[in-house]
Amino acid sequence: MPISDDSTTLAQLRNEVQQFVDERDWSQFHNPKDLSISLSIEAAELLEEFQWLNQEEVDQVRRRPEHLARVTSELADVLIYGLSLANALDLDVADAVGMKLDASALKYPAERYRGRFRLDP
Amino acid sequence: MPISDDSTTLAQLRNEVQQFVDERDWSQFHNPKDLSISLSIEAAELLEEFQWLNQEEVDQVRRRPEHLARVTSELADVLIYGLSLANALDLDVADAVGMKLDASALKYPAERYRGRFRLDP
Amino acid sequence: MPISDDSTTLAQLRNEVQQFVDERDWSQFHNPKDLSISLSIEAAELLEEFQWLNQEEVDQVRRRPEHLARVTSELADVLIYGLSLANALDLDVADAVGMKLDASALKYPAERYRGRFRLDP
Amino acid sequence: MPISDDSTTLAQLRNEVQQFVDERDWSQFHNPKDLSISLSIEAAELLEEFQWLNQEEVDQVRRRPEHLARVTSELADVLIYGLSLANALDLDVADAVGMKLDASALKYPAERYRGRFRLDP
């Protein structure tokens, strides 16, 4: 199933995830606590891809196809659990992200935080 | 900006995130290692919403609007960092999720794993 | 090297960890950020041992030697990085734990929090 | 209670933690799954102390008393949950760490891994 970010809505991607879950009758396991545990574990596996790397090595990741493929795969796991949680709790992901960006825009006014995310003296 | 999963593509949502980052000139901080650290921290904050809850309390979350709003907010943080990572490394999220679901479908054939995710004796 | 909690001081255990690190000249990698990343990753691997388990399965872990051995091994990894961090920053672990317990005792007076950790209405 | 790593055994420190738990009758909550969740959350809070820091800022942490105090406090939380898990499952921490170091010594022979932890070509 070749899909792309340009042509796929959040609802369609969530539906792909839900279909996978439904085909295995796994909704019974998908309570929000266990989904959050799994998301946290996958986030750590993603982080593991950068464990011990110095800045130079981090910069090279985008030019190393095999490493990039592993990162992509771990990010997919994180997102699948994130979308599963949205499915389990019937949350609107785009709305949640939009609302959070709006709130963050108030917390971090662009003019004051340009080029920095702390207001150190 | 009222947006919804039905009408928003992944590309559009990624663009919202990128615009927020660009307005603050924060791309310089968005290397994949630090983004993965932040994603991991936000995943833990999401998990914290379920810390110590027993099964009954977990089941009640969907019926408690304030708790649900906190969960939604933490999930948004996770997804924002996930989309930021996709932006930083130029990954296609929908393709990555689709590929991972395809791979998982081979690893967990629906007929053998229906209702269980381990093949215990 | 057979050692036990009854006969081993924190300083002695820290010294075992430091010796392992020194023999490999790994102190150069042991900055507190990367050690905290590693600790976080190992914490997730520990958590993975309980992923998807229901209450009944959790209760059985202590009676399943193989599972218990895996948990012990993952906990050891967490503690090794914790002690490595203490070594890298020259922190006193026992003092830190004692101080935190004292602070928590003020925050959670025993008589008010007996049998509960939230003061729900 | 002034205690120090030089004079405190693991058993004594575990006992301090157990006493705190017993005084609040919290053993009922201390199942290994929920303890591992809490440990993971505290590990993320420790990691948060280093979020977005570059190498130079990381190196300065040991010279900034307030930051160091926060790191110490978060490490204490991690260790308290680690020792609580050992208490809950009746594990010997010193033995577990010693065994893991022995196993790691076989996996990473000092002469081959001196100054590096990967055997890249």
Side-chain angles (χ1 to χ4, degrees):
Chain A
M1 140 194 72
I3 55 180
S4 82
D5 287 351
D6 281 332
S7 60
T8 310
T9 64
L10 271 297
Q12 288 169 325
L13 196 61
R14 286 176 60 165
N15 194 52
E16 295 287 342
V17 173
Q18 187 61 52
Q19 195 177 317
F20 179 89
V21 172
D22 285 344
E23 284 167 3
R24 284 153 191 82
D25 195 17
W26 281 358
S27 300
Q28 58 187 307
F29 306 117
H30 277 208
N31 67 78
K33 182 173 181 176
D34 279 307
L35 286 172
S36 297
I37 290 171
S38 291
L39 195 157
S40 208
I41 292 170
E42 297 297 342
E45 292 186 8
L46 173 62
L47 183 52
E48 196 174 1
E49 290 297 327
F50 303 101
Q51 192 180 20
W52 302 119
L53 297 197
N54 61 33
Q55 191 57 52
E56 190 188 334
E57 293 166 320
V58 170
D59 291 340
Q60 289 169 350
V61 171
R62 61 165 57 245
R63 286 185 292 277
R64 296 178 57 192
E66 287 181 22
H67 199 169
L68 205 52
R70 293 202 306 274
V71 170
T72 305
S73 173
E74 298 298 347
L75 176 59
D77 283 333
V78 168
L79 295 173
I80 287 169
Y81 281 121
L83 297 177
S84 293
L85 181 59
N87 285 340
L89 291 177
D90 205 17
L91 311 174
D92 191 286
V93 160
D95 181 56
V97 166
M99 299 243 295
K100 176 54 71 111
L101 289 177
D102 287 348
S104 294
L106 293 175
K107 191 174 169 187
Y108 302 101
E111 60 275 18
R112 294 194 70 198
Y113 283 87
R114 189 158 291 122
R116 57 182 182 172
F117 40 83
R118 284 194 191 87
L119 293 183
D120 289 329
Chain B
M1 142 192 70
I3 54 179
S4 81
D5 287 351
D6 281 332
S7 60
T8 310
T9 65
L10 271 297
Q12 288 171 325
L13 196 61
R14 287 178 58 166
N15 194 54
E16 295 287 343
V17 173
Q18 187 61 52
Q19 196 177 316
F20 179 90
V21 172
D22 286 343
E23 285 168 1
R24 284 152 191 81
D25 195 16
W26 282 358
S27 299
Q28 59 187 306
F29 306 118
H30 278 207
N31 66 79
K33 183 173 180 175
D34 279 306
L35 286 172
S36 297
I37 290 172
S38 291
L39 196 157
S40 209
I41 291 170
E42 297 298 341
E45 292 186 8
L46 173 62
L47 182 52
E48 196 174 0
E49 291 297 328
F50 304 101
Q51 192 181 17
W52 302 119
L53 299 196
N54 61 34
Q55 191 57 51
E56 190 186 335
E57 292 165 320
V58 170
D59 290 340
Q60 289 168 351
V61 171
R62 60 164 59 244
R63 285 184 292 276
R64 297 179 56 193
E66 288 181 24
H67 198 168
L68 204 53
R70 292 202 307 274
V71 170
T72 304
S73 173
E74 297 298 348
L75 176 58
D77 283 333
V78 168
L79 295 174
I80 286 170
Y81 280 121
L83 298 177
S84 294
L85 182 60
N87 286 340
L89 291 177
D90 206 17
L91 310 174
D92 192 285
V93 160
D95 182 56
V97 167
M99 297 241 298
K100 175 56 69 111
L101 290 177
D102 287 349
S104 294
L106 292 175
K107 191 174 169 188
Y108 302 101
E111 59 275 18
R112 293 193 70 198
Y113 283 87
R114 189 159 291 122
R116 58 182 181 172
F117 41 84
R118 284 195 191 86
L119 293 182
D120 290 329
Chain C
M1 141 192 69
I3 54 180
S4 82
D5 287 351
D6 281 331
S7 60
T8 309
T9 64
L10 271 297
Q12 287 170 326
L13 196 61
R14 287 177 59 165
N15 194 54
E16 296 286 342
V17 173
Q18 188 61 51
Q19 195 177 316
F20 180 88
V21 173
D22 286 342
E23 284 168 2
R24 284 153 193 81
D25 195 17
W26 282 358
S27 299
Q28 60 186 307
F29 305 118
H30 278 207
N31 66 77
K33 183 174 180 175
D34 279 307
L35 285 172
S36 297
I37 290 172
S38 291
L39 195 157
S40 210
I41 292 170
E42 297 297 340
E45 292 186 8
L46 173 62
L47 183 52
E48 196 174 0
E49 291 297 328
F50 303 100
Q51 191 181 20
W52 302 119
L53 299 196
N54 61 33
Q55 191 57 52
E56 190 187 335
E57 293 166 320
V58 170
D59 291 340
Q60 287 168 352
V61 171
R62 60 164 59 245
R63 287 183 291 277
R64 296 178 56 193
E66 287 180 24
H67 199 169
L68 204 53
R70 293 202 306 276
V71 170
T72 304
S73 172
E74 298 298 348
L75 176 59
D77 283 333
V78 168
L79 295 174
I80 286 169
Y81 280 120
L83 297 177
S84 294
L85 181 59
N87 285 339
L89 290 176
D90 206 16
L91 310 174
D92 192 287
V93 160
D95 181 56
V97 167
M99 299 241 297
K100 176 55 70 113
L101 290 177
D102 287 349
S104 295
L106 292 175
K107 191 173 170 188
Y108 302 102
E111 59 275 19
R112 293 193 71 197
Y113 282 87
R114 188 158 291 122
R116 58 183 182 172
F117 41 83
R118 284 194 192 87
L119 294 182
D120 290 328
Chain D
M1 143 192 69
I3 55 179
S4 82
D5 286 352
D6 281 332
S7 61
T8 309
T9 64
L10 271 297
Q12 287 170 324
L13 197 61
R14 287 177 58 166
N15 194 54
E16 295 287 342
V17 173
Q18 188 60 52
Q19 195 177 317
F20 179 89
V21 173
D22 285 343
E23 284 167 2
R24 284 151 192 82
D25 196 15
W26 282 359
S27 299
Q28 58 186 305
F29 305 118
H30 277 208
N31 67 77
K33 183 173 181 176
D34 279 307
L35 286 172
S36 297
I37 289 171
S38 292
L39 195 157
S40 208
I41 292 169
E42 297 298 341
E45 293 187 6
L46 173 62
L47 183 52
E48 196 174 1
E49 290 298 327
F50 304 100
Q51 192 180 17
W52 302 118
L53 299 196
N54 61 33
Q55 190 58 51
E56 191 188 334
E57 293 166 319
V58 170
D59 291 339
Q60 288 168 351
V61 171
R62 60 165 58 245
R63 287 184 291 277
R64 297 179 57 191
E66 287 181 22
H67 199 167
L68 205 53
R70 292 202 307 275
V71 170
T72 305
S73 173
E74 297 298 348
L75 176 60
D77 282 334
V78 169
L79 295 174
I80 286 169
Y81 281 121
L83 298 178
S84 293
L85 181 59
N87 285 339
L89 291 177
D90 205 17
L91 309 175
D92 191 287
V93 160
D95 182 55
V97 167
M99 299 243 296
K100 176 54 71 111
L101 290 176
D102 287 348
S104 294
L106 292 175
K107 191 173 170 188
Y108 302 102
E111 60 274 21
R112 294 194 70 198
Y113 283 86
R114 188 158 292 124
R116 59 182 180 172
F117 41 83
R118 284 194 191 85
L119 294 183
D120 290 329

